Amino acid sequence: MSALIQMRDIHVNFPVRNPDGGKMLTLRALDGVDLGITRSQCVGVVGESGCGKTTLAKVLMGLVEPNDGSVHVDGELLTERRSASSRRRLQMVFQDPGSSLNPRRRVRSALAELITYHDLVPASGLSAALRELMDMVGLPDRCLDVRPRDLSGGQRQRIAIARALAVQPDVIVADEAVSALDVSAQAKVVNLLSDLREQLGLTLVFISHDLGVVRALCDRVVVMYLGRVVEDAPTEQLFEDPQHPYTRALLAAVPDITTRREDAAARKPALDGEPASALAVGEGCRFRPRCPVAVSTCATEDPPLVGMRSHRAACVHAAAH
């Protein structure tokens, strides 16, 4: 099946001021990322803070222009100057709906502006379209006439999802879309995204730190480390048989509610140390300084993604599988 989204060899570098006063430094936020996503698929993107997840989302949305590489949607090359129709096809749901929604505007006004700008329904059908949006995200019609401050966090995030749906997109990129919510609101929003995907055939790119949510929602998981994809696999394969030592460490760090408190406190951390700086990525595998199974080859070789087409890992040990 051909990919709806195809990102090829994406590089994003950011100039950073040198604290010593010398020449500007280069932060390699994304370093040769390839990612293909098929229509109606839900792909989870995971990794520690600073691994490049949000930069990847911004490149996809056109909010960050890559230094090198290309983004295609349905075979169309997306350039820096995207048409209104190209922008409409990809919509983003941000982490904090409190800051992503205009606090001065009533919900009806914010949603109606999008529908009218893209000329999606005639003026006579606008009210019906707004009520349908409320129904799709499980909110009563009265929410159309309030401002975001009058809603709970979960309701605001539903409005943010309604705003994304208002322009009838093909793809929704959710960047930590449930991390600012309490547990019950998280579950409702995750269930909503799952239902919408099934009903509308949406393609979802779901960025999250919460591996439990990713496992429940996503078909496939992409693991990132310091600007590179280090593992890419169907969800259950990745959770049951992780091939990269970093993925294994992420899974080992997930709290186990069946473990006694004193046992959990005595458990050795899954990983030692912090990720290396993206300002100083050296030769070889960038995970090597923290890797429990590193060998001499890892100091000189930066392994590509290898393995079966459905499950690939960037590790010299994975190459043997």
Side-chain angles (χ1 to χ4, degrees):
M1 184 181 296
S2 61
L4 172 65
I5 298 170
Q6 187 67 64
M7 306 180 79
R8 295 191 178 98
D9 197 27
I10 301 294
H11 292 257
V12 174
N13 300 325
F14 295 120
V16 177
R17 187 179 300 277
N18 190 327
D20 298 328
K23 67 177 183 179
M24 297 289 283
L25 303 175
T26 298
L27 188 149
R28 292 155 64 179
L30 295 177
D31 193 14
V33 170
D34 292 301
L35 180 63
I37 302 173
T38 58
R39 190 179 299 276
S40 301
Q41 191 176 49
C42 180
V43 174
V45 183
V46 303
E48 292 169 295
S49 296
C51 70
K53 303 186 302 293
T54 294
T55 303
L56 183 72
K58 289 181 177 180
V59 169
L60 184 56
M61 294 300 303
L63 300 176
V64 169
E65 183 70 11
N67 297 90
D68 200 2
S70 61
V71 180
H72 292 77
V73 175
D74 239 2
E76 176 191 357
L77 175 65
L78 299 187
T79 62
E80 185 176 3
R81 295 180 178 273
R82 299 186 182 185
S83 65
S85 61
S86 293
R87 294 196 305 271
R88 182 177 69 81
R89 298 189 68 182
L90 295 96
Q91 294 295 306
M92 195 163 184
V93 178
F94 295 91
Q95 178 176 357
D96 181 12
S99 60
S100 64
L101 297 172
N102 189 331
R104 296 188 176 186
R105 301 189 67 176
R106 297 185 187 275
V107 172
R108 181 185 300 274
S109 171
L111 298 181
E113 180 183 48
L114 291 169
I115 295 172
T116 302
Y117 175 80
H118 289 281
D119 197 23
L120 297 173
V121 299
S124 59
L126 183 58
S127 293
L130 293 172
R131 290 194 299 271
E132 183 181 6
L133 278 174
M134 290 296 98
D135 184 60
M136 288 170 67
V137 298
L139 291 175
D141 292 352
R142 65 175 180 272
C143 289
L144 286 167
D145 297 309
V146 303
R147 293 184 174 88
R149 66 171 179 264
D150 300 316
L151 300 169
S152 69
Q155 289 173 324
R156 284 196 292 267
Q157 196 61 293
R158 287 170 180 263
I159 294 298
I161 293 171
R163 181 180 60 181
L165 295 174
V167 296
Q168 301 170 14
D170 296 318
V171 180
I172 287 183
V173 180
D175 186 9
E176 298 285 1
V178 298
S179 63
L181 308 177
D182 62 46
V183 174
S184 66
Q186 279 188 12
K188 291 176 182 177
V189 170
V190 169
N191 289 337
L192 172 63
L193 289 172
S194 180
D195 292 342
L196 289 171
R197 176 191 165 207
E198 183 176 346
Q199 294 165 13
L200 303 176
L202 289 170
T203 302
L204 296 180
V205 180
F206 188 79
I207 296 169
S208 180
H209 283 86
D210 192 327
L211 294 175
V213 172
V214 168
R215 188 172 192 175
L217 181 64
C218 301
D219 305 314
R220 181 173 145 224
V221 181
V222 171
V223 183
M224 295 190 65
Y225 188 80
L226 280 182
R228 297 289 298 272
V229 174
V230 297
E231 190 156 3
D232 181 353
T235 301
E236 286 309 308
Q237 284 189 31
L238 183 127
F239 277 82
E240 295 297 330
D241 185 26
Q243 295 295 305
H244 198 283
Y246 178 60
T247 306
R248 291 195 287 270
L250 288 180
L251 297 179
V254 176
D256 184 352
I257 62 172
T258 65
T259 303
R260 294 185 305 170
R261 182 179 299 177
E262 55 270 28
D263 292 338
R267 187 175 66 177
K268 187 180 185 296
L271 275 179
D272 292 324
E274 297 293 326
S277 171
L279 292 169
V281 176
E283 291 185 355
C285 175
R286 57 200 65 198
F287 184 60
R288 179 180 60 86
R290 306 170 74 193
C291 182
V293 294
V295 295
S296 58
T297 306
C298 303
T300 56
E301 293 185 11
D302 188 7
L305 285 170
V306 296
M308 296 174 57
R309 184 175 183 181
S310 64
H311 190 162
R312 300 178 298 158
C315 179
V316 295
H317 298 291
H321 289 271

